[in-house]
Amino acid sequence: MKLNLETLKRNKWRYLGFIFGFLFFVYPFAAIPRIIYFLQGSLAAPTLHSVCYRMTVEWMFTGRYWTTIIVQPIRLLALIAIVVAFFFGPLFCGWLCPIGSLTESLSRLTPRRLKIDFSGKVSLGAIRYGFFIGFLLPAILGMIGPATPVLGSCCAPEASSVAETLGIAGICCRYCAASSVQNIVDFLTGNFAALTYWHTGGIITMVFWLFIGGIFLFGGRGWCWVCPLGVLSNAVHYIGTKLGFTYKVKHDPTKCKDCGQCRGVCPSWAIKPAEKSVSIDRHACTVCKECVTACSSGALTYSRGHEDVKAS
Amino acid sequence: MPAFKITKATKIFSILFIGALCLTLGGSLYSAHLAKSEILHFWIFFPSGRGPPPTPIQINVNEQGSLKRILNPWTIALSTHWIINTDHQPHKVQLELVNCTIPVEWEVNAGFPWDPDTKTFTEPLDPGEGIPYLGIDWIIFVPENVRGQEVWYDGGLAVNDGDTGERLSFIPITIYGGWGLNLG
C-alpha cells in the first residue's frame, strides 16, 4: 500500500476523516473537548490527552467509569465509539483516530522493502486479546482487597493491597501514545518545552508507536494492536457482524477474482488468503473500506445483512 | 464424544495470546517499578489530619529506567491529578515548593481558575470536592552545579490557604541524585 493520486481519490472521504480527527481531538484545535468543556464551563485546556480513551476503558471494567461520566462527560466519547462499532464497525479507529491515522499516513511514505510485513500470516486477535487481558488484569486486581493510598498511580489515588503485593500497576498512562502525539504537535506548533520531559515508558511508546509499529510496519497500524479502545471496538464489532441489521465489510466469493488487491491495501492486516478467495478477520478490521474501494470486481461491499454472502 | 484436537492454528493462537499477555504483564511490572522514580504521581488531600496522611516522596534517580537515564537524565517530573478538600469549609488552594532553589517549570491545566504568579487557584474549593480536570506537572531541571551532589532537592510541597496563608498540608519531597546511591 502506498500513497498515489489514485489512492487519494478513491479514499478521499477517509483521508478527510484523518484531518477531521486532528481538528476534533488534537490541541490547538481539539474541537470536541473544547465544546464539551465550554458547555461545562470548565477552564481546562482541551488536548488529545483530555479525551484519554485508555484510562476510560480501564475505568469501564473497574467500575470507576459510571460515576466519573457524571462529572466528566467527555468520557462518554469512548462509549459512543464502542456503540458505533457494534452497529457500523470501528469507524473511529479507521476514520478518525489521530494516533493510528498519523502512523498509517507516514507508513505509506516508506518504501515497501523497508517495512515489516506479516500480514495474513499472524492472528492479530490472539495478540490483541492477550494484550487486553494483560491491560485489564492489573487494574482489576487493583480493586481487590482493602484500598490503600499509593504513590505513583496516575489514574487513581489508591490501589489494593493485592496489587501492591504483586508489584503491578496499571499501564494505561505509562505507555500512552496520545501523549506522544500531543507532545509532537505541541512542539511543531511552537511549544518547544513540550519535548522537554521524556520518561522510559514514553520513550518505549514512541519507538513502538512511531517507528516499529508505524513508519516501518506495513499498514502503520501496530499501535492499534495494543490499543484498549481498538480491541474493545473490534470485540463488539465481531459480535455485531453475527447480526443481520449491522453494517460490515462483506465478501462475495462468487465475484472474487482472487487478485490479492484487497490484501495489498488493508492497513489493519485484516484480510487473509483463503482457498481461491479471502477471509476478513473481524478482530482486526477497522471498516476503513480501503479494500472495498480497491476491489475492481465488486466482491467486497460495506453494507447491512449477514456476514457470509452465499453463492446464488 | 468427538476427541478434542489441537490444530496448528490453535497452537499459534495460544502462543501469540500468551506471549502478548506476558509481555503486557511484564510492562505492568516495569511500570510499577518506574512509577516511584519517573514522573511520580501523587495525591493531595488537605488539611492534614483529615483523609489519608501525606506520604513523603523520595525519588532516587538510580531507580529510573536506563532509557531515561541515558537520553534525558537531567529532568525530573512530579505530577498530580488529585487535589481534594477534606475540610468542612471551602479553601482557596495555594501551592508552594518549599526550599526550592533549582529551576522548576509548573505546567498547570485545570478546570478551575489558576493564577500562575501567586500559584493559587483563585476560586475556593468546596468541602469534599476535588479540582476538576486537573493536571499539574512539575518539571525540575537539574543545574550543572547540583548534579554532583548526593541530594538534588530536599523540601516539599506546601498547600496553603490562599486567603489567610494558613498552611493546610505539607508533603515532604527529597530527590536523591547520587549515582549508585542505594536507599535500601
Side-chain angles (χ1 to χ4, degrees):
Chain A
M1 60 183 291
K2 57 186 178 184
L3 201 60
N4 55 36
L5 201 58
E6 195 197 338
T7 317
L8 276 172
K9 272 163 77 177
R10 269 201 323 248
N11 302 289
K12 56 182 178 295
W13 295 114
R14 179 166 182 253
Y15 302 146
L16 206 59
F18 287 3
I19 295 168
F20 273 102
F22 266 80
L23 296 176
F24 284 166
F25 300 109
V26 182
Y27 186 84
F29 316 105
I32 289 180
R34 196 177 288 277
I35 290 166
I36 294 172
Y37 283 176
F38 174 76
L39 293 173
Q40 270 197 288
S42 173
L43 297 171
T47 70
L48 179 59
H49 206 184
S50 43
V51 182
C52 192
Y53 293 114
R54 293 167 70 80
M55 199 188 296
T56 308
V57 170
E58 186 182 295
W59 287 354
M60 282 179 184
F61 288 83
T62 55
R64 186 181 289 271
Y65 180 75
W66 312 107
T67 51
T68 307
I69 50 173
I70 299 164
V71 285
Q72 296 185 14
I74 201 165
R75 307 274 168 222
L76 279 170
L77 292 174
L79 190 62
I80 292 168
I82 291 164
V83 172
V84 167
F86 179 79
F87 290 102
F88 300 99
L91 288 174
F92 173 79
C93 305
W95 290 66
L96 284 174
C97 175
I99 300 165
S101 66
L102 180 61
T103 47
E104 184 189 322
S105 306
L106 292 172
S107 170
R108 286 173 190 273
L109 304 175
T110 312
R112 179 82 189 244
R113 65 179 186 283
L114 298 178
K115 288 192 272 196
I116 304 161
D117 182 6
F118 295 110
S119 54
K121 298 187 183 83
V122 292
S123 170
L124 290 185
I127 295 173
R128 299 186 86 190
Y129 294 121
F131 154 77
F132 194 60
I133 302 295
F135 173 82
L136 289 181
L137 209 55
I140 291 169
L141 286 173
M143 302 292 290
I144 300 170
T148 53
V150 290
L151 281 176
S153 171
C154 175
C155 326
E158 73 283 321
S160 75
S161 47
V162 174
E164 277 284 274
T165 309
L166 293 174
I168 55 176
I171 62 164
C172 73
C173 304
R174 184 66 50 181
Y175 310 101
C176 174
S179 294
S180 302
V181 174
Q182 190 61 69
N183 282 342
I184 290 169
V185 174
D186 286 352
F187 179 77
L188 294 175
T189 51
N191 177 9
F192 301 118
L195 292 188
T196 307
Y197 187 79
W198 284 92
H199 55 91
T200 302
I203 297 165
I204 292 171
T205 302
M206 179 66 107
V207 170
F208 182 72
W209 161 70
L210 188 58
F211 297 105
I212 300 170
I215 293 170
F216 297 107
L217 187 81
F218 174 72
R221 288 271 177 173
W223 188 257
C224 305
W225 306 347
V226 292
C227 169
L229 181 68
V231 179
L232 200 52
S233 296
N234 270 103
V236 299
H237 175 52
Y238 173 77
I239 297 165
T241 55
K242 305 294 174 197
L243 306 167
F245 59 87
T246 60
Y247 281 81
K248 70 232 34 161
V249 174
K250 295 193 295 186
H251 177 248
D252 184 349
T254 61
K255 291 182 181 171
C256 182
K257 293 177 183 168
D258 197 24
C259 63
Q261 188 78 2
C262 51
R263 292 201 306 272
V265 298
C266 177
S268 306
W269 299 12
I271 301 181
K272 294 176 180 174
E275 198 181 337
K276 290 183 182 173
S277 185
V278 294
S279 69
I280 300 165
D281 183 354
R282 306 294 179 190
H283 301 295
C285 175
T286 56
V287 294
C288 67
K289 290 169 62 181
E290 293 264 348
C291 57
V292 175
T293 59
C295 181
S296 55
S297 63
L300 286 156
T301 52
Y302 174 72
S303 57
R304 292 199 301 183
H306 283 283
E307 191 175 10
D308 299 319
V309 180
K310 303 290 181 197
S312 55
Chain B
M1 186 179 160
F4 181 70
K5 195 178 170 187
I6 299 172
T7 61
K8 191 182 170 191
T10 312
K11 277 184 195 167
I12 293 170
F13 185 96
S14 307
I15 290 166
L16 288 174
F17 180 87
I18 293 166
L21 177 63
C22 291
L23 202 62
T24 312
L25 289 175
S28 167
L29 286 167
Y30 193 47
S31 177
H33 170 72
L34 296 177
K36 287 172 184 165
S37 58
E38 291 188 24
I39 196 156
L40 185 146
H41 286 76
F42 61 102
W43 65 97
I44 300 166
F45 292 102
F46 70 86
S48 298
R50 293 182 192 274
T55 309
I57 293 169
Q58 291 190 325
I59 295 174
N60 181 1
V61 294
N62 289 287
E63 292 169 1
Q64 292 182 338
S66 305
L67 288 171
K68 164 85 174 71
R69 287 175 60 179
I70 293 166
L71 298 173
N72 191 15
W74 308 120
T75 55
I76 309 285
L78 293 162
S79 184
T80 187
H81 296 295
W82 313 87
I83 296 181
I84 295 158
N85 181 2
T86 53
D87 206 354
H88 296 305
Q89 60 185 53
H91 291 282
K92 276 186 189 172
V93 178
Q94 196 227 342
L95 301 172
E96 177 192 357
L97 275 176
V98 176
N99 194 29
C100 187
T101 54
I102 54 181
V104 179
E105 186 181 297
W106 292 56
E107 288 185 3
V108 180
N109 186 13
F112 228 51
W114 165 257
D115 179 0
D117 297 326
T118 59
K119 310 275 191 287
T120 306
F121 288 100
T122 53
E123 273 183 23
L125 184 63
D126 288 332
E129 295 291 314
I131 292 176
Y133 292 117
L134 177 68
I136 305 180
D137 292 333
W138 291 271
I139 314 282
I140 300 165
F141 300 93
V142 183
E144 277 189 39
N145 62 322
V146 174
R147 291 174 190 174
Q149 295 172 16
E150 202 164 85
V151 176
W152 287 352
Y153 173 61
D154 190 10
L157 181 74
V159 182
N160 304 321
D161 187 300
D163 287 325
T164 64
E166 177 197 357
R167 180 154 295 182
L168 300 169
S169 185
F170 181 76
I171 300 169
I173 301 171
T174 314
I175 301 174
Y176 295 94
W179 302 116
L181 185 73
N182 187 358
L183 296 179

